[in-house]
């Protein structure tokens, strides 16, 4: 189907390469202009068409009259004591999302949101507790990478890549917003845009099994599974989508995904540790047994507390005990360091802010919808 453009104000940040090519054809230009403009926008961080000097003056004027390069609006920015940076971004209608940049020695990992809120409603997650408002569009997802990269200075040179890794681990369940997330990840990996390798773009999912299969048909980015429990009885309580897609189906879909990748893959298993809920050594044993089926490494995330939750983070010793047990059974097991929790930027603390009561109610209703709806 041919894309119809409203030429009044096309936001070029929201177009993938194919749509950008179609756009140029629609304004009677050659399709290769798409790549030139992608480089200006994503590689160099330029939004002002007059600076796109390899385009004719006539085309620059045409673009100025018909288009914008508009990222969602940053309304708050803060840097934590440990260097972690958090941005709160407005996407209209009082909807807020958050993104977090974690600088380390030789890399900078950006944690990107895919939805406003989340309907999956995991029992330990602050985003889930906020309910679901809406899916983000491509411009709002790739706009987060654009904003973070531009915070290092504009214009960038094409070889200057300040963001080295992206994890789709901010607010939302990325596989429930499939097309814009895939388009955004493609731009992240495109040499004419952010140039990240497919191993440095990670999609984390609570386990939407048919969508993992769909993902395998269109890409082979790194996959992380938010498992959190080794048996269905416990996982049903922590990650309610498990009632629909139980652990066996999930593991089978991971096997299919990995088989479809063009190179050898080790899947990351995320396991949040909550005191007296899922941190016993019996459960560690069960986890070891379950994971013999796939080639994986385990990332333990000590639970990050937030106001509405009664769960507790286990002591450091208990976390290490669980880790050692997995390691003794041959699993590479890391503990995720809690970065940025002084600015509420740690995992599961990303909530945006929902102040008004009607919005809160709407979001809670959306949360209920997913429980009754077939995905
Ligand atoms: N929806 C996707 C991606 C976003 S959540 C998913 O669930 O995988 C990103 C990670 O943060 C997940 O592994 C999730 O389990 C974890 N997380 C959520 N709430 C948390 C909390 N309160 N403390 C620690 N980690 C949490
Ligand atoms: Fe959604 Fe992930 Fe939070 Fe679960 S952990 S509610 S899937 S964002």
């Amino acid at each position: 189907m041919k894309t119809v453009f409203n030429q009044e104000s096309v936001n070029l940040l929201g177009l993938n390469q194919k749509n950008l090519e179609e756009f140029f054809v629609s304004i009677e230009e050659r399709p290769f202009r798409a790549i030139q403009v992608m480089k200006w926008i994503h590689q160099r961080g330029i939004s002002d068409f007059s600076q796109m000097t390899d385009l004719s003056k006539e085309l620059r004027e045409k673009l100025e009259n018909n288009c914008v390069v508009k990222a969602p609006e940053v309304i708050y920015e803060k840097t934590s004591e440990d260097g972690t940076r958090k941005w709160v971004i407005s996407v209209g209608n009082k909807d807020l999302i958050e993104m977090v940049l974690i600088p380390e020695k030789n890399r900078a990992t950006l944690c990107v949101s895919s939805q406003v809120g989340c309907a999956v409603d995991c029992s330990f997650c602050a985003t889930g507790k906020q309910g679901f408002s809406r899916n983000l569009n491509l411009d709002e997802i790739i706009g987060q990478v654009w904003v973070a990269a531009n915070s290092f200075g504009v214009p960038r040179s094409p070889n200057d890549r300040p963001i080295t890794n992206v994890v789709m681990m901010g607010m939302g369940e990325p596989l429930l917003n499939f097309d814009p997330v895939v388009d955004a990840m493609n731009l992240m990996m495109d040499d004419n845009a952010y140039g990240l390798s497919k191993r440095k773009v990670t999609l984390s999912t609570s386990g939407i099994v048919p969508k993992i299969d769909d993902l395998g048909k269109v890409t082979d980015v790194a996959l992380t599974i938010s498992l959190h429990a080794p048996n269905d009885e416990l996982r049903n309580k922590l990650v309610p989508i498990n009632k629909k897609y139980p652990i066996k189906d999930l593991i089978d879909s991971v096997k299919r995904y990995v088989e479809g990748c063009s190179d050898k893959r080790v899947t990351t298993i995320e396991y949040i540790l909550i005191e007296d809920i899922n941190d016993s050594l019996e459960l560690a044993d069960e986890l070891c047994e379950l994971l013999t089926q796939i080639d994986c490494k385990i990332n333990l995330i000590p639970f990050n507390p937030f106001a509405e939750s009664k769960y507790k983070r286990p002591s450091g010793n208990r976390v290490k005990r669980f880790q050692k047990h997995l390691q003794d059974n041959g699993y590479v097991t890391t503990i995720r360091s809690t970065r940025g929790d002084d600015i509420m930027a740690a995992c599961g603390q990303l909530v945006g802010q929902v102040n008004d009561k009607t919005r809160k109610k709407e979001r809670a209703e959306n949360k209920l919808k997913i429980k009754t709806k077939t995905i």
Side-chain angles (χ1 to χ4, degrees):
M1 201 176 70
K2 210 166 163 10
T3 313
V4 180
F5 296 100
N6 161 14
Q7 293 189 8
E8 291 292 299
S9 58
V10 181
N11 186 1
L12 299 190
L13 210 52
L15 301 186
N16 62 18
Q17 185 178 331
K18 183 172 159 280
N19 290 156
L20 205 50
E21 283 168 357
E22 285 173 2
F23 168 74
F24 278 107
V25 171
S26 80
I27 58 167
E28 286 159 9
E29 291 285 340
R30 308 274 297 281
F32 73 86
R33 298 286 178 207
I35 296 210
Q36 278 178 301
V37 168
M38 268 170 70
K39 286 183 175 175
W40 282 111
I41 298 174
H42 296 289
Q43 243 182 21
R44 294 177 180 267
I46 298 292
S47 55
D48 177 354
F49 297 113
S50 69
Q51 291 179 36
M52 301 186 179
T53 46
D54 58 359
L55 307 180
S56 69
K57 192 157 175 284
E58 192 198 354
L59 175 54
R60 279 184 261 161
E61 275 168 14
K62 218 192 258 184
L63 293 178
E64 261 161 35
N65 293 334
N66 292 307
C67 318
V68 285
V69 177
K70 192 167 173 291
E73 183 196 0
V74 174
I75 56 163
Y76 171 85
E77 193 187 333
K78 189 148 189 195
T79 303
S80 151
E81 281 165 19
D82 62 20
T84 303
R85 290 167 76 181
K86 164 166 136 169
W87 288 264
V88 177
I89 291 177
S90 163
V91 289
N93 193 25
K94 294 190 185 159
D95 278 333
L96 301 175
I97 53 163
E98 305 191 7
M99 64 164 177
V100 177
L101 182 72
I102 307 160
E104 283 162 297
K105 220 173 171 194
N106 294 318
R107 59 182 190 178
T109 304
L110 185 68
C111 180
V112 167
S113 292
S114 56
Q115 298 182 309
V116 186
C118 182
V120 178
D121 197 17
C122 299
S123 65
F124 49 79
C125 176
T127 305
K129 292 282 157 269
Q130 293 285 326
F132 174 69
S133 179
R134 70 169 174 89
N135 282 329
L136 295 179
N137 302 318
L138 174 58
D139 58 306
E140 294 161 335
I141 302 173
I142 204 65
Q144 295 170 63
V145 186
W146 195 75
V147 166
N150 288 359
S151 75
F152 288 82
V154 173
R156 291 187 297 283
S157 85
N159 296 328
D160 187 8
R161 303 214 154 128
I163 311 289
T164 60
N165 299 59
V166 174
V167 290
M168 298 301 305
M169 289 189 189
M171 293 169 70
E173 168 48 60
L175 289 184
L176 291 181
N177 185 17
F178 194 84
D179 290 338
V181 164
V182 168
D183 280 345
M185 294 192 304
N186 284 340
L187 275 171
M188 293 170 203
M189 293 183 288
D190 193 324
D191 265 342
N192 297 313
Y194 299 92
L196 302 183
S197 87
K198 58 189 175 189
R199 287 167 177 269
K200 296 196 167 169
V201 174
T202 300
L203 184 139
S204 173
T205 179
S206 56
I208 317 293
V209 167
K211 297 287 175 187
I212 295 176
D213 286 328
D214 290 348
L215 190 71
K217 289 176 198 143
V218 293
T219 187
D220 57 355
V221 294
L223 186 65
T224 288
I225 301 294
S226 292
L227 189 65
H228 311 311
N231 61 61
D232 285 329
E233 197 191 342
L234 180 57
R235 194 165 193 266
N236 285 347
K237 289 183 192 142
L238 299 180
V239 185
I241 198 80
N242 192 73
K243 291 180 204 147
K244 191 163 182 58
Y245 306 117
I247 292 176
K248 184 186 174 305
D249 296 359
L250 178 56
I251 298 281
D252 286 348
S253 75
V254 171
K255 286 185 199 162
R256 290 191 291 273
Y257 185 84
V258 170
E259 270 163 27
C261 289
S262 51
D263 50 357
K264 190 177 170 319
R265 287 308 171 87
V266 176
T267 306
T268 303
I269 300 295
E270 303 267 45
Y271 193 99
I272 187 170
L273 279 171
I274 312 172
E275 187 176 87
D276 294 334
I277 301 286
N278 67 351
D279 64 344
S280 71
L281 293 187
E282 290 71 37
L283 289 172
D285 274 334
E286 225 180 305
L287 186 62
C288 291
E289 179 60 33
L290 174 72
L291 293 180
T292 51
Q293 300 181 56
I294 51 172
D295 203 359
C296 65
K297 60 183 182 199
I298 303 167
N299 191 15
L300 300 175
I301 320 172
F303 171 68
N304 286 317
F306 57 94
E308 297 91 346
S309 178
K310 290 197 179 78
Y311 289 148
K312 292 203 184 82
R313 182 189 298 183
S315 69
N317 279 345
R318 245 179 116 79
V319 171
K320 285 204 189 97
R321 189 183 73 140
F322 198 91
Q323 178 191 33
K324 185 166 181 307
H325 203 76
L326 301 178
Q327 286 171 333
D328 290 347
N329 280 279
Y331 287 94
V332 173
T333 309
T334 47
I335 300 174
R336 182 177 298 166
S337 64
T338 304
R339 302 273 312 249
D341 59 352
D342 55 325
I343 54 167
M344 292 298 279
C347 284
Q349 292 182 320
L350 305 183
V351 288
Q353 293 136 342
V354 197
N355 296 326
D356 104 43
K357 276 195 184 144
T358 332
R359 304 280 295 131
K360 270 192 178 166
K361 191 163 165 278
E362 269 170 34
R363 284 178 168 212
E365 282 164 6
N366 287 338
K367 205 159 74 175
L368 284 177
K369 265 187 215 155
I370 197 172
K371 291 190 180 145
T372 46
K373 188 177 110 181
T374 309
I375 293 161

